[in-house]
């Protein structure tokens, strides 16, 4: 963003600690280079990205690892075969592990929530799978960023040999120290020139042979490598040189492997850096209390409880601010130190942050229109070098603004045309405001000129605005008021501060009559606004109380319906149980009656059972779907709820306000006011519960193969009872061919049964002689 605008709106101060909320150096750098977004579609896309990440970060605050490293230069080195260091390999490894973990968790969340997160997915889907590279680098680099001991067989062998020699060297030196304590200034092992040495007193420096590597500044200590240790240390040095050569070989091979993935690694870092930057933005916004603006493709601003984050939270005043380029551009008037410039900067800051792709310091549901440019004239730009006065510097800036402004511009003007003759300044101000109006710009302007107040009252484009002033405390409250111009209040303030009353009266006499009338009008308007605000407060309080009562009543009503429904359910359950008991008794009576050889028609019995079932009640049928239609819309054939009976009825005829209804088997005349229209019922299955619910599903055949005659006949009788109750017309007895005795005995038994109309052997496709087909009477 243009540095002058950045500085005038204090964006740099708002973002000064943003580094604390970034997950990587890449994001810190991107915050320093933020640009004002002039493409509306791009702006919307960025805020949609923000919204998706906000949801993820709020739902899963500690589940995403986001710290990444900038390995762009390392990939460039790898491509030109410049060997990468251990740390560079480590950073690449950590990044690809982070990509993999994030991608896996992100995809799991998408499946879990059945949500696509399309804006973040477009970045994550562009990140390649690096399982092979992760496995390769993990075999080489340890968790601290150093080459592993077993990165190669040769390296492991070298390091094992070094350890053995080092252990041998340590043992030799310890023995020397133990035997020669009186010759040493201190009984320790240290290093000089990467060789293990002991600390020897000057008079004994030649007693150990070997090599003297150094002496202390005082000359009281000589650093001696004993003769016994020289050969071992030489071998260790040779191994160390081989170790470095092997590590260099491993690094060269790893660099070549990384180079193979070079383009993919760059592309993946580009995409993941975008994701990490969005997370950093939301992390910053959440910690600052900033919220997502609603971006709209028109030129207006609707801020809810906007505030300037540079003011201490315990004293900052939050204001609702609305302006547009239709009839609500605002001119703020009032005394100095009243907060006019703060309002100006707050609006500019919110618009600029939104167009930088960031959240804003307001309440939720604040709307920011789309502005291609923000033009600002705030502060004193006078230049001694260029001999420009305050007025000239302001006017030079405004002339430049007028060359660029259009109907998609936001113009912020502080103390318009100040620093010159008041009458000329006022006239010039009104002419400039007319010009901005003709260009369709959205304008927020502060001024001291009283003529501008009258200009706004007559304008259909600009509105007066001001900041409230507490005359009792003699200080501004910083409460923003739209529709009310401000007053300088210099005379009144002077009187409150103790200025002689005669002087105050004389000062008032010098005021123009129009100014006095304006002040009276403003005072009256202010009183009306305060009365309106007080009424709003009372209304809001009463609305809250009404909502509370409504919620309480709703809860009570819900409890009532639940209790009522539970009573109905209990009653119907008991009723249905009683009916089932009666059916069981009837079944028992029927069985006894049948065994007594008295005649009863099957269909007559079924009718009795069906009649009993008709008395059963389905609890779900008592929950009526009442429509919201007016009773006047009821027509013949509609279903209605008869309120005093809580029963469904059908409308047969309508005569004026009287309905003829069918309620069960009854026909009644009833007033429309005594019913409620019901939604048409779907065709329900009969409530009749067939007796098969008591006796289970009955097959159309019975198998008695393997039974003796007595067992078979008993089974057939029991089966026949069930068949009769089910109302079957026929059934099949499977008895097999055998010797034919069982078949013959079954035939004799069926012949004497009064419920059997006829019986026969099965046909070719029915089982032949092995079955008997029975027809019921």
């Amino acid at each position: 963003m243009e540095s002058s605008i950045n500085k005038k709106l204090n964006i740099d101060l708002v973002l000064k600690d943003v580094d604390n909320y970034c997950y990587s150096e890449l994001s810190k750098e991107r915050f320093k280079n933020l640009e004002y977004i002039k493409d509306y579609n791009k702006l919307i896309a960025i805020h949609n990205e923000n919204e998706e990440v906000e949801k993820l970060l709020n739902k899963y605050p500690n589940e995403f690892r986001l710290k990444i490293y900038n390995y762009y230069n390392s990939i460039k080195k790898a491509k030109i075969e410049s060997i990468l260091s251990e740390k560079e390999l480590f950073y690449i490894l950590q990044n690809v592990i982070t990509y993999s973990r994030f991608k896996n968790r992100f995809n799991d969340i998408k499946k879990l929530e059945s949500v696509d997160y399309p804006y973040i997915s477009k970045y994550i889907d562009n990140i390649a799978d690096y399982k092979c590279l992760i496995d390769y680098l993990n075999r080489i680099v340890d968790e601290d960023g150093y080459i592993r001991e077993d990165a190669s067989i040769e390296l492991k062998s070298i390091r094992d040999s070094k350890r053995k020699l080092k252990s041998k060297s340590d043992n030799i030196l310890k023995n020397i120290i133990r035997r020669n304590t009186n010759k040493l200034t201190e009984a320790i092992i240290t290093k000089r020139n990467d060789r293990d040495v002991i600390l020897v007193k000057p008079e004994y420096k030649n007693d150990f042979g070997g090599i003297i590597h150094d002496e202390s500044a005082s000359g009281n200590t000589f650093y001696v490598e004993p003769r016994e240790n020289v050969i071992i240390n030489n071998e260790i040095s040779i191994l160390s040189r081989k170790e470095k050569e092997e590590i260099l070989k491993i690094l060269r091979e790893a660099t070549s492997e990384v180079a193979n993935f070079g383009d993919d690694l760059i592309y993946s870092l580009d995409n993941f850096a975008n994701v990490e930057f969005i997370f950093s933005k939301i992390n910053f916004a959440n910690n600052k209390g900033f919220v997502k603006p609603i971006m709209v493709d028109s030129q207006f601003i609707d801020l809810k409880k906007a505030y300037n984050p540079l003011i201490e939270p315990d004293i900052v005043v939050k204001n609702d601010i609305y302006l547009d380029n239709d009839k609500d551009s605002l001119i703020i008037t009032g005394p100095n130190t009243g907060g006019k410039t703060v309002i100006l900067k707050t609006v500019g800051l919110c618009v600029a942050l939104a167009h930088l792709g960031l959240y804003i310091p307001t309440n939720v549901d604040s709307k920011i229109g789309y502005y291609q440019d923000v033009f600002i004239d705030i502060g004193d730009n006078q230049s001694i070098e260029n001999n420009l006065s305050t007025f000239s510097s302001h006017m030079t800036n405004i002339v430049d603004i007028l060359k660029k402004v259009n109907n998609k511009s936001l113009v912020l003007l502080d103390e318009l045309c100040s620093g010159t003759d008041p009458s000329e300044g006022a006239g010039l101000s009104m002419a400039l405001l007319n010009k901005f109006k003709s260009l369709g710009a959205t304008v927020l302007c502060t001024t001291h000129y009283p003529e501008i107040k009258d200009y706004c009252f007559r304008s259909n484009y600009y509105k007066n605005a001001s900041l409230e002033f507490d005359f009792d405390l003699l200080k501004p409250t910083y409460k923003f008021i739209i529709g009310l111009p401000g007053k300088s209040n210099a005379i009144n303030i002077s009187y409150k501060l103790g200025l002689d009353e005669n002087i105050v009266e004389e000062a008032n006499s010098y005021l123009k009559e129009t100014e006095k009338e304006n002040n009276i009008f403003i005072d009256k308007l202010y009183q009306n606004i305060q009365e309106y605000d007080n009424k709003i407060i009372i209304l809001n309080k009463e609305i809250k109380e009404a909502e509370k009562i409504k919620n309480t009543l709703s809860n009570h009503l819900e409890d009532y319906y639940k209790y009522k429904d539970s009573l109905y359910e209990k009653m119907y359950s008991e009723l249905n149980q009683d009916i089932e008991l009666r059916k069981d008794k009837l079944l028992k009576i029927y069985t006894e009656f049948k065994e007594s050889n008295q005649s009863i028609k099957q269909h007559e019995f079924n009718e009795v059972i069906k009649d009993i079932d008709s008395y059963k009640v389905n609890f779900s049928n008592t929950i009526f779907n009442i429509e919201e239609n007016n009773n006047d819309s009821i027509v013949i054939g509609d279903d209605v709820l008869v309120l005093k009976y809580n029963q469904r009825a059908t409308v047969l005829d309508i005569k004026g306000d009287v309905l003829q209804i069918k309620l069960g088997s009854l026909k009644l005349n009833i007033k429309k006011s005594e019913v409620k229209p019901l939604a048409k019922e779907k065709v329900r299955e009969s409530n009749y519960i067939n007796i098969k619910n008591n006796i289970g599903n009955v097959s159309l055949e019975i198998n008695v193969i393997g039974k003796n005659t007595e067992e078979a006949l008993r089974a057939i009788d029991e089966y026949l009872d069930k068949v009769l109750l089910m109302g079957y017309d026929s059934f099949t007895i499977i008895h097999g061919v055998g010797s034919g005795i069982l078949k013959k005995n079954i035939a004799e038994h069926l012949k004497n049964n009064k419920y059997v109309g006829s019986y026969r052997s099965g046909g070719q496709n029915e089982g032949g002689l092995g079955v008997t087909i029975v027809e019921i009477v």
Side-chain angles (χ1 to χ4, degrees), residues 492-640:
N492 290 334
I493 292 172
S494 299
Y495 176 69
K496 283 277 187 178
L497 292 173
L499 187 65
D500 186 270
E501 187 175 351
N502 293 325
I503 299 175
V504 170
E505 288 181 0
E506 184 178 352
N508 276 321
S509 68
Y510 289 127
L511 283 178
K512 295 178 181 178
E513 193 62 34
T514 55
E515 185 66 22
K516 293 179 182 179
E517 290 175 357
N518 281 345
N519 285 342
I520 293 171
F521 174 73
I522 290 171
D523 288 338
K524 183 63 178 176
L525 188 58
Y526 178 69
Q527 290 174 8
N528 290 339
I529 288 175
Q530 282 214 315
E531 288 177 10
Y532 170 77
D533 286 345
N534 291 334
K535 289 177 180 178
I536 288 292
I537 292 170
I538 294 170
L539 282 173
N540 286 335
K541 184 178 179 182
E542 291 178 351
I543 289 170
K544 286 182 180 178
E545 290 175 354
E547 285 289 335
K548 188 176 179 181
I549 293 170
K550 177 187 172 184
N551 291 335
T552 302
L553 289 175
S554 295
N555 291 335
H556 288 334
L557 188 61
E558 186 177 351
D559 291 341
Y560 160 72
Y561 280 125
K562 285 180 180 177
Y563 179 65
K564 185 191 78 169
D565 291 345
S566 68
L567 287 179
Y568 275 129
E569 187 172 15
K570 182 180 178 183
M571 181 180 70
Y572 296 144
S573 176
E574 290 174 353
L575 179 59
N576 289 341
Q577 286 177 9
D578 185 55
I579 292 171
E580 288 296 328
L581 288 173
R582 292 180 185 274
K583 285 170 62 180
D584 289 341
K585 287 180 181 179
L586 188 58
L587 180 61
K588 184 177 180 182
I589 292 169
Y590 166 76
T591 304
E592 291 173 354
F593 186 82
K594 186 195 74 166
E595 291 174 352
S596 68
N597 292 322
Q598 297 184 41
S599 178
I600 184 172
K601 298 286 186 181
Q602 174 66 37
H603 68 87
E604 293 175 350
F605 178 77
N606 287 345
E607 286 297 324
V608 174
I609 293 294
K610 186 173 181 181
D611 187 53
I612 292 174
D613 272 329
S614 68
Y615 289 99
K616 293 185 74 171
V617 183
N618 186 346
F619 175 63
S620 63
N621 290 344
T622 66
I623 310 290
F624 295 105
N625 185 10
I626 298 174
E627 291 192 336
E628 297 298 328
N629 298 339
N630 190 295
N631 282 14
D632 292 335
S633 65
I634 295 173
V635 297
I636 294 172
D638 280 355
D639 288 341
V640 294

Side-chain angles (χ1 to χ4, degrees), residues 311-325:
I311 301 174
E312 291 297 324
D314 54 339
I315 62 172
V316 70
V317 177
K318 300 181 179 182
N319 287 295
D320 294 339
I321 305 170
Y322 184 94
L323 68 153
D324 61 28
N325 63 348

Side-chain angles (χ1 to χ4, degrees), residues 105-171:
R105 181 60 183 134
F106 179 67
N107 288 333
D108 287 344
I109 288 171
K110 285 179 18 176
K111 290 178 183 176
L112 178 67
E113 297 183 356
S114 297
V115 176
D116 286 338
Y117 293 101
Y119 290 92
I120 303 305
S121 293
K122 72 180 181 183
Y123 296 124
I124 300 304
D125 292 345
N126 285 330
I127 295 175
D129 179 11
Y130 294 103
K131 186 179 185 307
C132 294
L133 183 61
I134 291 172
D135 291 343
Y136 177 81
L137 292 178
N138 263 328
R139 290 197 301 270
I140 295 172
V141 184
D142 66 18
E143 58 276 5
D144 296 317
Y146 298 101
I147 294 295
R148 293 184 181 276
E149 293 218 351
D150 57 351
S152 73
I153 296 173
E154 181 65 21
L155 181 63
K156 187 176 186 304
S157 174
I158 291 170
R159 288 182 170 175
D160 286 344
S161 298
K162 279 184 67 176
R163 266 192 299 274
K164 290 176 183 177
L165 290 172
K166 183 70 170 61
S167 176
K168 183 178 180 181
S169 171
D170 289 344
N171 289 333

